[in-house]
Amino acid sequence: MRKNIVAGNWKMNNNYQEGMDLAFEISKLVNALPSRNADVILGVPYMLLNDVSSVANAEGIAVASQNVAAWEKGAYTGEVSAIMIKSTGAEYVILGHSERRKYFGEDEAVLRDKIALSLQNELKPIYCCGEVKEEREAGNHFEVVEKQINEGLFNLSAEDFSKVVIAYEPVWAIGTGLTASPEQAQEMHAHIRKLLAGKYGEEAAENTTLLYGGSCNAGNAKELFANPDVDGGLIGGASLKAEDFIQIITAF
Ligand code: PGA
C-alpha cells in the first residue's frame, strides 16, 4: 500500500539559525502528535542537510535535498553530489522542480542523469512535473505532464521506479495563492496513475505516492488530500511556518 507523504520545500529562504529553529519547532510538534497518517519530509538547502537530519531523523522525519549535481564526483566547483547528500543522512532528493526547470534550464535529459545518480546512492527522487498557465489554458496540460513523466522516468527499471515519488505541481499554482481545485488535482493524479499502470502495471501504479503541490496550505489541504489519488503534498510557503505545516500533516 502506498504511503501518504507531506513534504516541505523550504527553497532558498532560511539562514542557518532560522532553518535549525524551524527544524526544532517542527520536530517538537510532530513528536507531540498522538498519531499521524503521513510520512513527513523536510526539503532543505544543502547547508542544512546534515544538522536538520540530526534533529528531524530522531522524530522519524526524513530530509530531502532540493537538488543534486548531474555528475558523480570531481572538478565541479560549487556542486554537491549524491554521495555527499547521502552522507548527511538525507533520504530523498527533490528533482525537476519548475523553478529548476525555469531558472536553471533543467530538462528531462539532465534530470534522467540526476535521477540515476540519486538512485545509485540510495536517495529517493521526488520528481516534479506540471504545466504552465498557457498550457492549461490551451488544454495541453495532460500532454505536457505525460511528456515530463515519460521522458524523465520511463527509462527506469520497475525496481528503481518503485523508489520514486511524483509531485504534480501546476506551475500557475506555485507561490501564487491559486490552488488547483480538488477536482483538477484528482483528475491529473488519476491520469498520471493511469500512465504509470500502462508502463509498470496496475500494482506499481497503486503503490506510487502522488503528491500535489502549488499553494497547498492549512486551509485547503484536507479537501485536496480527500481525493483518492492525492497522497499528500509538496508544500512551499506553508512549510516555513511550523504550525501551518503541522496542520497540513494532520489533514489526512
Ligand atoms: P507553494 O510552493 O506551496 O509556495 O506554492 C510549492 C512548491 O514549489 O513546491
Side-chain angles (χ1 to χ4, degrees):
M1 203 43 204
R2 62 183 177 258
K3 299 180 193 172
N4 294 326
I5 295 177
V6 174
N9 178 8
W10 291 2
K11 308 192 183 184
M12 194 179 73
N13 285 296
N14 293 325
N15 69 21
Y16 177 81
Q17 198 50 55
E18 290 162 348
M20 289 309 293
D21 289 349
L22 183 56
F24 276 115
E25 183 70 10
I26 290 169
S27 300
K28 194 179 74 188
L29 292 171
V30 164
N31 176 275
L33 293 174
S35 66
R36 61 179 153 102
N37 295 322
D39 284 6
V40 180
I41 303 173
L42 304 179
V44 308
Y46 287 141
M47 99 293 185
L48 280 163
L49 284 172
N50 197 70
D51 290 352
V52 169
S53 291
S54 303
V55 172
N57 290 353
E59 298 304 338
I61 298 171
V63 171
S65 171
Q66 299 174 12
N67 187 22
V68 65
W71 304 274
E72 193 170 3
K73 184 183 171 67
Y76 299 101
T77 303
E79 289 294 287
V80 177
S81 72
I83 298 168
M84 294 169 173
I85 293 167
K86 181 67 186 175
S87 74
T88 65
E91 198 181 323
Y92 291 87
V93 54
I94 299 170
L95 289 171
H97 191 281
S98 61
E99 287 148 19
R100 302 284 327 163
R101 292 178 188 265
K102 181 175 172 194
Y103 302 125
F104 303 94
E106 293 194 1
D107 59 9
E108 279 72 24
V110 76
L111 289 169
R112 282 196 297 274
D113 290 344
K114 292 185 173 199
I115 291 167
L117 284 164
S118 301
L119 289 165
Q120 277 161 31
N121 291 285
E122 294 173 354
L123 290 167
K124 296 173 207 155
I126 300 173
Y127 181 73
C128 305
C129 56
E131 80 285 358
V132 299
K133 184 161 161 273
E134 293 71 29
E135 291 163 339
R136 178 159 283 264
E137 283 169 358
N140 294 333
H141 42 295
F142 290 121
E143 241 173 275
V144 169
V145 168
E146 212 167 304
K147 184 169 180 287
Q148 290 168 335
I149 291 187
N150 191 10
E151 293 182 5
L153 296 176
F154 281 3
N155 63 321
L156 294 176
S157 67
E159 205 206 321
D160 276 346
F161 180 77
S162 70
K163 294 163 190 142
V164 173
V165 171
I166 295 176
Y168 168 58
E169 299 203 302
V171 182
W172 47 271
I174 295 179
T176 57
L178 286 176
T179 317
S181 68
E183 294 74 26
Q184 284 171 323
Q186 169 57 26
E187 183 184 44
M188 182 60 86
H189 284 222
H191 184 73
I192 293 172
R193 210 178 295 284
K194 207 166 79 198
L195 285 179
L196 304 183
K199 172 72 185 173
Y200 293 105
E202 207 62 58
E203 195 185 336
E206 281 304 315
N207 286 335
T208 305
T209 297
L210 303 182
L211 307 180
Y212 168 78
S215 300
C216 182
N217 58 40
N220 58 30
K222 226 183 186 75
E223 236 189 336
L224 286 160
F225 299 171
N227 290 289
D229 288 298
V230 179
D231 310 312
L234 181 55
I235 320 296
S239 74
L240 296 170
K241 294 182 212 111
E243 295 282 357
D244 288 16
F245 192 56
I246 290 293
Q247 283 190 51
I248 299 171
I249 293 168
T250 53
F252 286 96

